[in-house]
Amino acid sequence: MVGVLDVGAFSARLVVVPRGGTPLEPALTHKTRLRLDRALDSSGRLGPEGVRAVVDGVRNANKVAEAHDVRDVFSFATSSIRDARNSREVLATVRAATGTQLRTFSGTREAELSYLAARRWYGAAAGPLLVLDIGGGTVELAAGTGERAAFARSLKLGAREMTRTWLDTERPSEKRLAALREYALERVRDALGEDEKLLRGYRTVGCSKVLRQLARLAGARPQREAPMSARDLHLDELRRQIPRLAMLPPDRRAELPGISRSRAQQAVAGAVVAEALLTVFGGPAAICPWSTTHGLLLALMEQADFSSSTSGWAA
């Protein structure tokens, strides 16, 4: 069996798939909830409470994996740890306390993995794909016409970071929303350069929980109830929802369809960044249930010798 432990801002999530199987039918899943967004201080350091939470999450996952005789687990940390100012210290502490080395990927590598996940989900018949992944710290963009991404970028436009630097009040003003929108548009277009025109012709796919929750808010039906076409995130409807989100405090946002309590604080910034992306690419975005974790699982499952080949994965 092949396992991946994904340690992000909101959870430490273990997913295990049999060799020769598919991420559609995992043999084992386990999640420990985290709130690392609350543990990052104003300078970007992960505080002691956050470090303890990561240690506990990794320990829990290790115990579950051991109880089910799962030996091959690739453990990695996303931007909440990777981009923390004390990242090396955090990773060293986790390793000393649990024996697990949390690897980190570059944002570009994460983008490539999200693309692989989306390509496998939609298949070759989907044609050229442009994959968007809005995380807490960064936004990943990847595109291609085949199995692997030909274009991959990572931008510091994540929902958590944009909340901290642009929308640090419960009810941000229209002026601040407009400023963030302009900033996000500028950053995306600078990153695309001459590729913007080409990529506007690709099918746009969203591969993150931020985009899934915004799609539900904007009227998309739940995955278990809807055909693929009813899960899309449409630009016009998203634009109508941003003022609604901005006028409510976080606890009230969590009462809206799709918005979880843990992500309510970041929902406005995530929506503005999503609006900027769909403005550039023309929208709508089809919502894919697979993301980086599934792309990593797929890649590892194709390797003949998992245990000896994982050292080169992290970047």
Side-chain angles (χ1 to χ4, degrees):
M1 291 192 286
V2 176
V4 166
L5 174 61
D6 173 351
V7 182
F10 298 103
S11 68
R13 182 174 57 140
L14 174 68
V15 182
V16 178
V17 177
R19 282 203 174 277
T22 168
L24 281 171
E25 298 176 349
L28 172 66
T29 62
H30 178 270
K31 180 186 289 187
T32 298
R33 296 204 175 276
L34 307 175
R35 286 306 305 268
L36 301 188
D37 58 318
R38 295 177 175 176
L40 286 164
D41 65 23
S42 58
S43 71
R45 292 178 62 86
L46 189 64
E49 182 179 348
V51 177
R52 286 193 295 271
V54 173
V55 168
D56 289 344
V58 172
R59 278 178 175 158
N60 290 341
N62 288 347
K63 289 177 182 177
V64 171
E66 183 178 355
H68 290 82
D69 198 29
V70 179
R71 301 175 183 274
D72 294 333
V73 176
F74 187 104
S75 303
F76 77 100
T78 61
S79 67
S80 293
I81 296 174
R82 180 191 70 208
D83 297 336
R85 291 190 62 185
N86 58 335
S87 175
R88 290 186 180 182
E89 176 185 333
V90 173
L91 296 176
T93 299
V94 172
R95 182 171 185 175
T98 68
T100 295
Q101 177 65 60
L102 286 177
R103 297 165 172 91
T104 58
F105 294 118
S106 68
T108 300
R109 183 66 61 84
E110 287 192 8
E112 292 168 345
L113 291 170
S114 290
Y115 176 86
L116 174 60
R119 174 55 70 187
R120 291 292 179 85
W121 180 263
Y122 288 101
L129 292 183
L130 166 67
V131 178
L132 316 178
D133 186 335
I134 302 177
T138 57
V139 167
E140 274 65 63
L141 310 175
T145 58
E147 180 80 356
R148 307 294 174 182
F151 170 97
R153 299 285 188 278
S154 180
L155 310 176
K156 291 188 178 297
L157 290 173
R160 180 190 68 246
E161 286 305 301
M162 295 302 95
T163 300
R164 184 173 68 86
T165 57
W166 288 87
L167 308 179
D168 58 353
T169 60
E170 286 197 347
R171 296 181 177 89
S173 68
E174 290 184 10
K175 183 177 180 180
R176 292 300 289 172
L177 293 176
L180 173 56
R181 182 180 297 111
E182 187 64 29
Y183 174 75
L185 283 169
E186 182 179 348
R187 290 295 310 279
V188 172
R189 286 189 160 127
D190 283 349
L192 296 176
E194 296 180 355
D195 291 314
E196 179 179 343
K197 184 176 180 180
L198 171 66
L199 296 180
R200 282 181 66 90
Y202 284 27
R203 181 179 186 180
T204 304
V205 174
C207 280
S208 69
K209 189 158 287 187
V210 170
L211 291 164
R212 287 197 293 274
Q213 292 194 0
L214 290 173
R216 284 284 293 119
L217 176 68
R221 291 163 59 190
Q223 292 178 13
R224 63 183 179 277
E225 300 175 4
M228 297 292 286
S229 60
R231 305 176 197 170
D232 292 356
L233 175 60
H234 292 271
L235 178 57
D236 290 346
E237 185 56 40
L238 176 61
R239 283 179 174 152
R240 283 192 284 269
Q241 295 298 330
I242 291 174
R244 183 185 184 194
L245 285 169
M247 70 181 290
L248 296 173
D251 61 335
R252 294 288 307 282
R253 292 175 202 155
E255 298 173 1
L256 299 175
I259 304 300
S260 67
R261 186 164 299 278
S262 62
R263 296 174 186 269
Q265 180 72 33
Q266 305 175 15
V268 181
V272 174
V273 171
E275 179 197 9
L277 289 167
L278 294 186
T279 297
V280 171
F281 296 120
I287 302 302
C288 179
W290 285 1
S291 57
T292 303
T293 299
H294 302 89
L296 179 57
L297 275 167
L298 290 164
L300 294 174
M301 288 165 65
E302 294 173 355
Q303 295 184 352
D305 185 356
F306 174 90
S307 59
S308 66
S309 61
T310 55
S311 60
W313 271 91

